[in-house]
């Protein structure tokens, strides 16, 4: 089929867009910079300062806003600050769309778990430069006199808060049909840079996929000193030479990651049962330092006597730490060998690497959550003691209900503590793992098998935590059995269930994801090797993330419940996820373990 270039936009329009203040974006539509006025965190000892930043500068658009909860220590002051803000705005005759007190959260940086200091955010479409400065200074004076805590003040154009969405490409999209012509040239441009990842997806702020431009998306390190404007223009030139003027180029600072997590997630009630749960939390035994990940499900290996044995399946990086770890008592030479060559059954006979479900980090968070619920309920019970004594019927009923909730939380804590004290959370030891290797086709290998305790062997049955999702996709049964393997089709709809984001939906992207990795353990002397791999990837079909940190190891399945592959990493900012496909996965398991056959465990 001949490829016809789009009538619009023209190359002249693209060149105009290169001069915009969005430093490393070149697309088919002009994006006019809109200024945002911010005040830094207040400090009574420092002189007031007001900073004006352009739209999307300094990571403003990469943070999300979280309103303070009533239990937060600054909630009362936040209400007073909000009222004062309305008074100041009224005195200055400034109209706004909204005003709220809360936290800024770093959305895309997995290293940053803590929110920024409390912040007052005022949203307005109008840009009154001198008025905004006056408003900021008045509010800073109020904060300095009324609160000892640091408070940030932001006045933001709502456009700066709009979320950029990612959508998968279809096989009929222009860049997909032309990829064979431009792929080598783009990779050559990026080869000598410190780029981390590159793929092609649809990216934009529109809710409908086709209303967003096809985009070459490149992720680079936060501290990169490369002149990315020059790199962007070189990629644009390749696209223009191949009649792809309608394809945008976005180069974004951020770190593609392996999707294990030190974040906090509530655990499903079923996690405390005898049998292991597919799609739920796991982690190294007796270690609070390592991350939590996902037990994808169960596979069986056939030995030389045709006997089949069941193992748990997850990712290599979910069970083997990247560096020597004091809990596992492993030296650097041993770790380097495993990362370079993999972890064989012979290694398993010499080294015990125990894995548990749930992870100890998630267990402790869940217990703390129940204790917090008890404290909140007991505080409420104390508040209604007076009404209860006065024989108010509703007070009596509320008190009794809270009493039952406290008792229920206490019983859950006791059961969870017994579960850990009696070592029921212990799944088994790592039996074999891939290491940081590539296939002969330069696809990433990232898998691990856990030799399970017999009583903890579970089934490949997937049950979303959200009942509404279960009803929508599974009907009355609320369960999805997985026992067959299916080859992927480009743009086919897929699902996954993981420790952090539960059940989500996406599609296989029409273009693979290319990743440049520096691995410390791939040379004999430990020096890093920079290598490029290309993997199948999934993007959310609704423009939302299809996975989160902590989902590494999750099974990816199709509409019929057939196994597609194993989720192991991706780029949180680009909302694309890397998948190790079933064919490569099973072939490498056979190679490392010497198994005669590999199959999914019966559902």
């Amino acid at each position: 089929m001949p490829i016809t270039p789009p009538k619009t936009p023209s190359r002249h329009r693209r060149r105009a867009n290169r001069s915009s203040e969005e430093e490393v974006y070149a697309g088919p539509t002009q994006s006019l910079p809109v200024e945002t006025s911010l005040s830094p965190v207040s400090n009574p000892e420092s002189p007031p300062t007001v900073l004006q930043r352009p739209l999307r500068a300094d990571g403003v658009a990469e943070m999300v806003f979280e309103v303070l909860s009533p239990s937060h220590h600054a909630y009362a002051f936040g209400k007073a600050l909000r009222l004062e803000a309305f008074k100041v705005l009224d005195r200055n005759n400034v109209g706004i769309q909204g005003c709220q007190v809360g936290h800024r959260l770093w959305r895309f940086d997995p290293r940053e778990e803590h929110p920024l200091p409390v912040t007052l955010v005022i949203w307005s479409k109008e840009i009154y430069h001198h008025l905004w400065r006056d408003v900021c200074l008045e509010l800073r004076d109020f904060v300095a006199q009324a609160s000892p805590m640091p408070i940030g003040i932001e006045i933001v154009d709502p456009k700066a808060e709009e979320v950029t969405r990612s959508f998968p490409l279809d096989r009929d999209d222009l860049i997909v049909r032309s990829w064979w012509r431009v792929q080598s040239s783009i990779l050559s441009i990026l080869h000598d840079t410190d780029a981390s990842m590159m793929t092609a997806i649809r990216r934009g702020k529109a809710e409908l996929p086709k209303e967003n431009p096809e985009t070459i998306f490149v992720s680079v390190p936060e501290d990169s000193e490369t002149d990315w404007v020059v790199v962007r223009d070189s990629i644009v030139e390749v696209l223009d030479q191949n009649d792809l003027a309608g394809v945008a180029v976005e180069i974004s600072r951020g770190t593609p990651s392996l999707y294990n997590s030190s974040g906090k997630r509530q655990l499903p009630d079923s996690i405390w049962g005898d049998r292991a749960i597919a799609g739920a939390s796991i982690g190294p035994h007796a270690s609070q330092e390592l991350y939590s990940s996902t037990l994808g499900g169960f596979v069986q290996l056939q030995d030389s006597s045709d006997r089949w044995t069941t193992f748990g399946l997850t990712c290599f990086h979910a069970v083997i730490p990247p560096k020597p770890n004091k809990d596992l008592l492993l030296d650097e030479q041993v770790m380097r060998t495993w990362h370079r060559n993999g972890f064989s059954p012979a290694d398993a006979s010499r080294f015990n690497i125990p894995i548990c479900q749930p992870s100890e980090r998630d267990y402790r968070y869940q217990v703390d959550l129940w204790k917090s619920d008890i404290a909140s309920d007991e505080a409420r019970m104390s508040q209604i003691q007076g009404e209860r004594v006065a024989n108010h019927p509703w007070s009596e009923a509320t008190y009794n209900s809270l009493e039952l909730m406290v008792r229920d939380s206490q019983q859950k804590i006791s059961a969870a503590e017994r579960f850990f004290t009696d070592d029921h959370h212990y799944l088994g030891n790592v039996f074999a793992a891939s290491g940081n290797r590539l296939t002969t086709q330069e696809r990433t290998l990232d898998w691990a098998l856990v030799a399970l305790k017999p009583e903890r062997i579970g089934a490949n049955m997937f049950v979303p935590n959200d009942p509404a999702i279960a009803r929508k996709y599974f009907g009355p049964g609320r369960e999805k059995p997985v026992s067959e393997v299916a080859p992927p089709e480009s743009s086919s709809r897929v699902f996954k269930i993981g420790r952090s984001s539960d059940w989500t939906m996406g599609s296989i992207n029409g273009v693979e994801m290319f990743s440049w990795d520096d691995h410390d353990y791939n040379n004999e002397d430990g020096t890093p090797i920079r290598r490029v791999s290309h993997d199948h990837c999934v993007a959310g079909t609704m423009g939302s993330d299809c996975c989160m940190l902590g989902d590494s190891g999750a099974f990816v399945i199709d509409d019929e419940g057939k196994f597609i592959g194993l989720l192991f990493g991706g780029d949180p900012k680009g909302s694309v996820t890397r998948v190790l496909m079933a064919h490569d996965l099973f072939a490498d398991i056979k190679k490392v373990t010497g198994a005669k056959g590999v199959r999914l465990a019966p559902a």
Side-chain angles (χ1 to χ4, degrees), residues 450-463:
V450 180
L452 300 165
K453 291 168 56 180
E455 63 270 24
R456 298 233 63 193
I457 295 175
N460 288 321
M461 296 290 288
F462 295 88
V463 185

Side-chain angles (χ1 to χ4, degrees), residues 33 209 218 238 253 331 491 514 565 592:
V218 182
V238 170
R253 293 184 185 273
D331 64 40
S491 302
F514 294 80
V592 172

Side-chain angles (χ1 to χ4, degrees), residues 456-603:
R456 298 233 63 193
I457 295 175
N460 288 321
M461 296 290 288
F462 295 88
V463 185
N465 293 329
D466 187 338
I469 293 177
R471 286 193 301 269
K472 180 176 181 180
Y473 292 108
F474 301 159
R478 289 193 59 196
E479 296 179 333
K480 175 73 77 174
V482 179
S483 58
E484 297 182 39
V485 176
E489 292 288 339
S490 180
S491 302
S492 63
R493 189 169 70 166
V494 297
F495 303 89
K496 81 100 192 57
I497 185 166
R499 169 258 186 196
S500 299
S501 57
D502 194 37
W503 185 268
T504 56
M505 180 175 67
S507 287
I508 303 293
N509 194 41
V511 171
E512 294 178 329
M513 177 175 169
F514 294 80
S515 303
W516 288 265
D517 300 310
D518 292 323
H519 287 291
D520 293 340
Y521 296 103
N522 277 55
N523 275 330
E524 291 290 343
D525 61 358
T527 56
I529 289 180
R530 182 164 168 81
R531 66 185 189 187
V532 61
S533 60
H534 56 101
D535 302 295
H536 292 280
C537 62
V538 172
T541 51
M542 306 302 291
S544 58
D545 298 338
C546 58
C547 68
M548 297 171 62
L549 296 173
D551 287 333
S552 273
F555 275 19
V556 179
I557 62 176
D558 67 9
D559 273 329
E560 299 177 1
K562 294 181 179 180
F563 179 65
I564 296 292
L566 194 69
L567 184 156
F568 68 90
D571 186 272
K573 190 170 182 180
S575 300
V576 284
T577 301
R578 298 159 76 184
V579 178
L580 172 56
M581 291 301 181
H583 172 76
D584 291 326
L585 169 66
F586 285 4
D588 198 58
I589 290 176
K590 289 177 67 175
K591 177 181 177 181
V592 172
T593 64
K596 187 176 178 180
V598 182
R599 70 185 184 188
L600 288 174

Side-chain angles (χ1 to χ4, degrees), residues 277 280-284 291-296 313-315 318-319 355-360 362 427 450 499 552:
I277 305 298
S281 164
I282 62 168
Y291 294 124
S292 301
S293 299
T294 298
L295 176 68
L313 178 60
T314 185
C315 287
V319 298
I355 305 300
C356 63
Q357 185 184 68
S359 71
E360 186 155 343
D362 288 345
L427 280 181
V450 180
R499 169 258 186 196
S552 273

Side-chain angles (χ1 to χ4, degrees), residues 390-409:
N391 295 320
H392 292 301
W394 66 269
S395 298
E396 184 73 24
T398 302
Y399 188 94
N400 292 338
S401 176
L402 290 168
E403 197 171 40
L404 289 174
M405 292 167 63
V406 167
R407 192 176 304 135
D408 180 62
S409 295

Side-chain angles (χ1 to χ4, degrees), residues 200-250:
I201 48 179
R202 285 191 178 274
R203 288 272 291 173
K205 301 184 185 302
E207 294 185 3
L208 297 178
K210 294 294 184 181
E211 293 180 1
N212 297 294
E214 300 169 36
T215 303
I216 305 297
F217 181 82
V218 182
S219 184
V220 305
E222 294 283 355
D223 57 355
S224 173
E225 297 181 358
T226 301
D227 187 343
W228 290 107
V229 175
V230 173
V231 175
R232 177 204 63 188
D233 288 349
S234 299
I235 297 175
V236 165
E237 185 175 353
V238 170
L239 296 173
D240 289 351
Q241 289 172 351
N242 286 273
D243 296 321
L244 295 171
V247 177
V249 178
E250 180 180 349

Side-chain angles (χ1 to χ4, degrees), residues 107-355:
R107 180 180 181 189
F108 299 114
D109 189 351
R111 299 163 298 180
E112 179 60 71
E113 296 180 23
H114 304 291
L116 295 177
V118 175
T119 302
L120 169 74
V121 177
I122 301 168
W123 289 276
S124 175
K125 288 184 177 179
E126 304 298 331
I127 306 300
Y128 307 103
H129 296 296
H130 64 289
L131 291 179
W132 285 145
R133 186 177 186 280
D134 294 342
V135 167
C136 275
L137 293 177
E138 281 195 53
L139 289 174
R140 280 178 59 91
D141 290 341
F142 174 79
V143 169
Q145 297 172 16
S147 174
M149 70 183 70
I151 297 288
I153 300 169
E154 297 182 12
I155 301 175
V156 183
D157 187 304
K159 290 182 180 180
E161 304 281 279
E162 291 178 356
V163 176
T164 300
R165 299 177 172 89
S166 297
F167 299 90
L169 291 169
D170 298 327
R171 68 186 69 184
D172 294 329
D173 283 325
L174 187 60
I175 188 62
V176 177
R177 291 183 286 140
S178 307
W179 191 242
W180 63 276
R181 287 193 285 133
V182 299
Q183 170 188 310
S184 296
S185 298
I186 295 174
L187 289 174
S188 178
I189 292 169
L190 296 173
H191 177 72
D192 293 326
T193 71
D194 53 349
S196 304
M197 182 280 288
M198 184 274 292
T199 189
I201 48 179
R202 285 191 178 274
R203 288 272 291 173
K205 301 184 185 302
E207 294 185 3
L208 297 178
K210 294 294 184 181
E211 293 180 1
N212 297 294
E214 300 169 36
T215 303
I216 305 297
F217 181 82
V218 182
S219 184
V220 305
E222 294 283 355
D223 57 355
S224 173
E225 297 181 358
T226 301
D227 187 343
W228 290 107
V229 175
V230 173
V231 175
R232 177 204 63 188
D233 288 349
S234 299
I235 297 175
V236 165
E237 185 175 353
V238 170
L239 296 173
D240 289 351
Q241 289 172 351
N242 286 273
D243 296 321
L244 295 171
V247 177
V249 178
E250 180 180 349
I251 301 178
S252 177
R253 293 184 185 273
T255 305
S257 63
L258 301 173
Y259 281 154
N260 49 16
S261 175
S262 58
K264 301 171 181 177
R265 294 291 161 190
Q266 189 167 350
L267 296 169
D269 291 339
S270 57
I271 201 77
W272 312 108
D274 290 334
R275 298 188 180 277
I277 305 298
S281 164
I282 62 168
H285 189 271
S287 173
Q288 297 184 59
E289 293 186 5
L290 301 181
Y291 294 124
S292 301
S293 299
T294 298
L295 176 68
F298 307 92
V299 295
Q300 293 185 330
L301 271 59
Q302 184 184 29
D303 61 22
S304 57
S305 60
D306 294 334
R307 182 182 61 183
W308 292 90
T309 304
T310 301
F311 295 86
L313 178 60
T314 185
C315 287
F316 171 77
H317 72 267
V319 298
I320 306 291
K323 296 283 174 77
N325 179 269
K326 66 179 183 181
D327 294 314
L328 300 180
L329 301 177
L330 302 173
D331 64 40
E332 188 169 354
Q333 184 60 43
V334 170
M335 298 291 296
R336 184 182 300 129
T337 301
W338 291 348
H339 280 258
R340 186 174 61 246
N341 301 329
F343 183 89
S344 69
D347 294 316
S349 66
R350 297 171 52 215
F351 298 94
N352 290 329
I353 302 180
I355 305 300

